[in-house]
Amino acid sequence: MKDFLVIPERLARIKEVLERRQPDLRLFLERVVNYHNVSAILRTADAVGVLHVHYFHEGELPINDAITCGAHRWLLLHREEKVKEALTKLRDQGFQLVATGLFPETIDFREVDYTRPTVIIVGHELEGISETVRELAHAVVKIPMHGMVQSLNVSVATGIILYEAERQRKEKGLYEISHLSEEEIESILEDWAYHRVIKDKARGRLSS
């Protein structure tokens, strides 16, 4: 084990957060392009204990530090080259795929059991999810709307669904137990509290 390069209080806080992370509650961003939306989604993901965020995007995710407040630095981001292959792999691993959209088969987002291993999939701001995602999804959900406008901003919609997942998981006590092995926690700590600190110092930047 390496000597970590953060103060003990900081290290304890990181460990505490990791012990509440929900590695079986994941996000998949399919062509979400606006940096405000991406950054707000990542900040909410961190807040509800998500660890893994998958994304399909040309180039790196457009992230704004001022919006995320550094939250993206405490997530594991996975760039996916092919949507179908990535989601099929997650399905095969036992995840239920829950996409957002307005189709005949769409159900209320609260009808889903988010205590199961789940990937929440959100799509492009204007075009929504692709037909590939629609075909692979176990469920397509919507948030009820009672006004003239029939959709929410993608970051707002994602936040609402994530907090429904948080509510269900909290009721079941899933934040009270660690879902990561000691080896997994140690590996992430080595990255976040050692390698990242060295990189940040090399760039003249303090960790957030």
Side-chain angles (χ1 to χ4, degrees):
M1 183 184 72
K2 293 184 181 296
D3 292 327
F4 297 118
L5 303 178
V6 296
I7 61 174
E9 293 79 6
R10 182 69 161 175
L11 185 62
R13 172 60 178 162
I14 297 172
K15 286 181 178 178
E16 180 185 355
V17 167
L18 284 174
E19 288 171 355
R20 290 200 299 267
R21 282 297 198 231
Q22 308 287 300
D24 63 342
L25 176 63
R26 303 189 177 199
L27 277 180
F28 193 107
L29 311 184
E30 186 193 32
R31 299 181 305 127
V32 181
V33 297
N34 182 278
Y35 73 90
H36 282 94
N37 291 331
V38 170
S39 302
I41 288 171
L42 296 182
R43 185 168 175 177
T44 306
D46 169 69
V48 302
V50 167
L51 179 61
H52 298 276
V53 177
H54 303 256
Y55 65 95
F56 176 72
H57 191 279
E58 291 184 6
E60 292 304 310
L61 272 180
I63 296 173
N64 185 303
D65 283 325
I67 297 173
T68 67
C69 291
H72 63 285
R73 293 164 58 79
W74 310 110
L75 301 167
L76 301 182
L77 305 178
H78 309 277
R79 183 183 180 189
E80 304 293 356
E81 299 291 340
K82 297 181 180 179
V83 172
K84 185 174 183 178
E85 289 183 6
L87 292 179
T88 299
K89 182 178 180 180
L90 288 165
R91 277 183 59 133
D92 291 345
Q93 291 173 352
F95 285 89
Q96 65 172 341
L97 307 182
V98 179
T100 57
L102 295 174
F103 305 105
E105 71 272 22
T106 300
I107 62 174
D108 189 301
F109 76 105
R110 290 163 292 198
E111 294 180 29
V112 173
D113 178 5
Y114 297 101
T115 65
R116 295 175 51 194
T118 302
V119 180
I120 298 170
I121 310 163
V122 296
H124 186 272
E125 285 87 346
L126 297 178
E127 300 171 10
I129 60 171
S130 65
E131 190 62 28
T132 296
V133 171
R134 183 181 175 187
E135 291 173 356
L136 286 172
H138 294 95
V140 181
V141 300
K142 67 178 179 180
I143 298 170
M145 306 289 293
H146 303 288
M148 294 294 292
V149 178
Q150 291 303 301
S151 65
L152 291 169
N153 171 277
V154 65
S155 65
V156 174
T158 303
I160 290 172
I161 296 170
L162 281 175
Y163 266 95
E164 170 62 14
E166 186 271 348
R167 182 191 68 80
Q168 292 184 17
R169 285 173 169 255
K170 185 176 181 180
E171 283 187 355
K172 201 170 181 178
L174 296 183
Y175 288 93
E176 304 305 316
I177 56 176
S178 177
H179 302 277
L180 295 169
S181 68
E182 291 184 10
E183 292 76 15
E184 288 173 317
I185 290 177
E186 193 70 21
S187 176
I188 296 171
L189 283 175
E190 185 173 330
D191 182 29
W192 290 357
Y194 182 80
H195 295 297
R196 176 185 294 172
V197 177
I198 292 174
K199 290 178 182 177
D200 286 344
K201 286 183 177 179
R203 296 170 183 164
R205 171 184 179 180
L206 294 176
S207 295
S208 58

